[in-house]
Amino acid sequence: MKILVLNCGSSSVKYQLFRMADESILAKGFVDQIGMDNSVLEHQAAGREKINFKVEMPDHFSAIRAVLETLIDPNYGVVRDLWEIRAVGHRIVHGGPNFSNSVLVDDKVVAELRRIIELAPLHNPAAIMGIEACHKQMPNVPMVVVFDTAFHRGMPPRNYLYGVPYKYYEKYSVRRYGFHGTSHRYVGMRAADMLGKPYEEAKTISCHLGNGASLCAIDGGRVLDTSMGFTPLAGLLMGTRCGDMDPAVVYYLMKKENLDAEGINNLLNKQSGLLGLSGVSNDIRPVTAAALAGNPRAMMAISVFVRQILHYIGAYYLELGGADSIVFTAGIGENSSLIRKKVCSQLAVIGAALDEEANLNACGETVISLPDSKVKIFVIPTNEELVIARDTLEIVYEKNMGLDRFF
Ligand code: AMP
């Protein structure tokens, strides 16, 4: 069976087409700058050269049409006909209070996604457009939605409630949701495998460190706690997001800088984090290069980031009552040996001992702790698209939709 995975952003669509028999990627790519003059489609079929071309894409409907046309193109496509694609899995950032698992798309699901748009005004509308565009262009193909928030729904109330009047939890569902759930779920399962321990027994601290970043405490396959909150602005400082701080700063800066709600939202989401502190970039590579060259603000930005990671590792170690492993994943977690080293050099107190050489040479799934380290340290490349494809297969297959699993 071939499954298309789509990740629709406000002006982009990323896609991967999987052959589920061996979970291989037949093609992947993305469409950028939807709605602008210079929309581009980048496409790569397995084992072939990457190609780029300009396509007119005023909206998500035309973007998805361009993706589907590319997939069946006689020159660079990978399927003969769209009927070969038996299901579509959509990544959805926010599932709100009611979705605790991936689900098959129907009218009720779309209505609930619309109802919770206020919780993710930048992300969910694009995902809904993606669902509608697929429905129009592949009307009989079942679709599944997989939520970034769903994995975190098992958190106990003591970890998801905020100290604001309870009526706002009841009235407006104000609570910690947590994000990157698909990534934390994937690396949590891989970590248990690498430990040789049943997933149901493994205690894992997962560090998803990318442009967006969050930590997650996973106890036996269930999330105990996570650093992002009501929105992905909370927790660690990130590329351009501020992360945790005294909420009074919001009111104070609004007054001092004469900002309205839109203005402060933009400042905290787009101008803060590594970018705001270092003044160099939102990208850890130039920030690291500047720090190594002696730029004091870049050095400080990295120190703040590392301290915050340690803050959560410490908290989660206690909450979990110990940990079997600490996992680094996503762009920074997978690639920055420097950040991993700075974090791990302070973990001896919990019995996690870094193997410096393994850390420096880490590539793909790697153990980077010393053999006698009580807490193992892993680098595990995340694979959210594969989780979405697997969930889609399972749901479409389990619903007994008359599809042959290995079509
Ligand atoms: P992501 O959001 O997961 O794509 O991660 C983006 C972050 O990963 C950016 O801060 C990048 O600088 C960082 N990153 C990507 N590749 C590397 C690399 N080879 N070395 C260090 N950082 C990297």
Side-chain angles (χ1 to χ4, degrees):
M1 184 192 285
K2 290 171 188 133
I3 289 180
L4 179 63
V5 172
L6 291 177
N7 180 355
C8 296
S10 52
S11 64
S12 68
V13 174
K14 293 186 194 136
Y15 64 93
Q16 289 196 10
L17 183 67
F18 284 87
R19 179 173 52 215
M20 296 312 290
D22 59 358
E23 294 188 334
S24 60
I25 299 168
L26 296 173
K28 62 180 178 179
F30 65 87
V31 174
D32 220 355
Q33 317 273 23
I34 298 171
M36 293 166 218
D37 288 341
N38 46 349
S39 314
V40 178
L41 192 152
E42 181 179 299
H43 172 81
Q44 183 164 32
R48 309 229 295 265
E49 288 276 294
K50 213 180 257 179
I51 52 167
N52 286 285
F53 41 95
K54 282 197 169 177
V55 198
E56 206 171 304
M57 284 177 245
D59 51 27
H60 283 70
F61 182 85
S62 47
I64 286 178
R65 185 172 56 206
V67 169
L68 297 177
E69 281 171 358
T70 306
L71 289 172
I72 57 169
D73 186 276
N75 293 318
Y76 30 79
V78 287
V79 290
R80 269 163 298 161
D81 207 298
L82 283 185
W83 61 259
E84 285 185 44
I85 300 172
R86 304 311 299 259
V88 180
H90 292 268
R91 177 196 176 208
I92 311 283
V93 168
H94 212 311
N98 295 323
F99 291 116
S100 51
N101 279 305
S102 305
V103 290
L104 196 65
V105 175
D106 59 18
D107 290 348
K108 269 200 203 141
V109 168
V110 176
E112 176 64 5
L113 289 176
R114 281 193 198 292
R115 195 187 69 80
I116 59 173
I117 275 179
E118 264 192 332
L119 295 177
L122 294 180
H123 295 102
N124 281 21
I128 295 169
M129 283 191 270
I131 290 168
E132 287 176 340
C134 286
H135 183 59
K136 279 194 191 130
Q137 296 173 69
M138 312 164 83
N140 299 316
V141 175
M143 291 187 276
V144 168
V145 278
V146 179
F147 304 96
D148 274 15
T149 47
F151 186 49
H152 302 295
R153 287 306 314 281
M155 257 188 298
R158 65 176 184 273
N159 286 341
Y160 70 68
L161 285 176
Y162 291 130
V164 293
Y166 190 72
K167 64 182 176 193
Y168 298 125
Y169 166 64
E170 294 179 306
K171 249 170 114 173
Y172 306 125
S173 306
V174 171
R175 51 161 287 172
R176 180 190 306 282
Y177 288 98
F179 299 85
H180 295 139
T182 320
S183 173
H184 290 303
R185 174 151 68 109
Y186 177 78
V187 301
M189 283 190 294
R190 291 299 312 137
D193 269 5
M194 288 169 80
L195 282 166
K197 213 170 180 180
Y199 185 41
E200 299 69 35
E201 291 171 20
K203 291 175 186 283
T204 311
I205 299 174
S206 163
C207 311
H208 178 111
L209 307 177
N211 206 20
S214 68
L215 263 72
C216 184
I218 309 169
D219 190 1
R222 286 170 67 94
V223 173
L224 186 60
D225 208 347
T226 192
S227 61
M228 280 181 167
F230 180 63
T231 72
L233 185 58
L236 305 172
L237 76 84
M238 306 170 221
T240 59
R241 294 177 222 158
C242 62
D244 287 349
M245 58 178 195
D246 181 343
V249 173
V250 175
Y251 176 62
Y252 187 75
L253 281 182
M254 284 175 85
K255 270 202 336 200
K256 284 287 185 196
E257 293 283 310
N258 200 15
L259 295 169
D260 60 6
E262 199 67 33
I264 191 80
N265 198 36
N266 182 282
L267 184 142
L268 300 179
N269 274 287
K270 302 265 169 67
Q271 300 167 42
S272 302
L274 286 177
L275 173 68
L277 268 187
S278 72
V280 174
S281 173
N282 65 309
D283 188 307
I284 198 91
R285 285 167 288 194
V287 178
T288 306
L292 292 173
N295 177 327
R297 273 178 56 190
M299 286 195 254
M300 194 175 49
I302 289 182
S303 300
V304 175
F305 186 50
V306 168
R307 186 206 74 83
Q308 293 187 348
I309 297 167
L310 282 166
H311 169 93
Y312 281 103
I313 291 179
Y316 293 169
Y317 186 81
L318 286 186
E319 279 191 55
L320 286 165
D324 298 302
S325 68
I326 295 168
V327 181
F328 290 93
T329 192
I332 299 171
E334 290 166 31
N335 296 298
S336 175
S337 57
L338 180 98
I339 296 294
R340 293 193 304 255
K341 184 177 162 179
K342 280 185 170 291
V343 171
C344 294
S345 66
Q346 297 190 57
L347 294 181
V349 68
I350 63 165
L354 184 72
D355 177 337
E356 297 217 4
E357 205 169 316
N359 179 46
L360 215 54
N361 300 321
C363 180
E365 280 188 0
T366 322
V367 184
I368 56 165
S369 45
L370 290 167
D372 60 351
S373 179
K374 191 164 71 81
V375 178
K376 304 290 173 217
I377 313 171
F378 298 136
V379 175
I380 303 180
T382 194
N383 198 340
E384 290 158 288
E385 293 79 10
L386 180 59
V387 176
I388 295 172
R390 283 179 181 165
D391 274 15
T392 304
L393 175 69
E394 195 180 311
I395 286 168
V396 168
Y397 185 62
E398 271 189 359
K399 300 271 168 187
N400 197 13
M401 303 190 71
L403 299 170
D404 177 351
R405 192 177 182 119
F406 298 113
F407 190 82

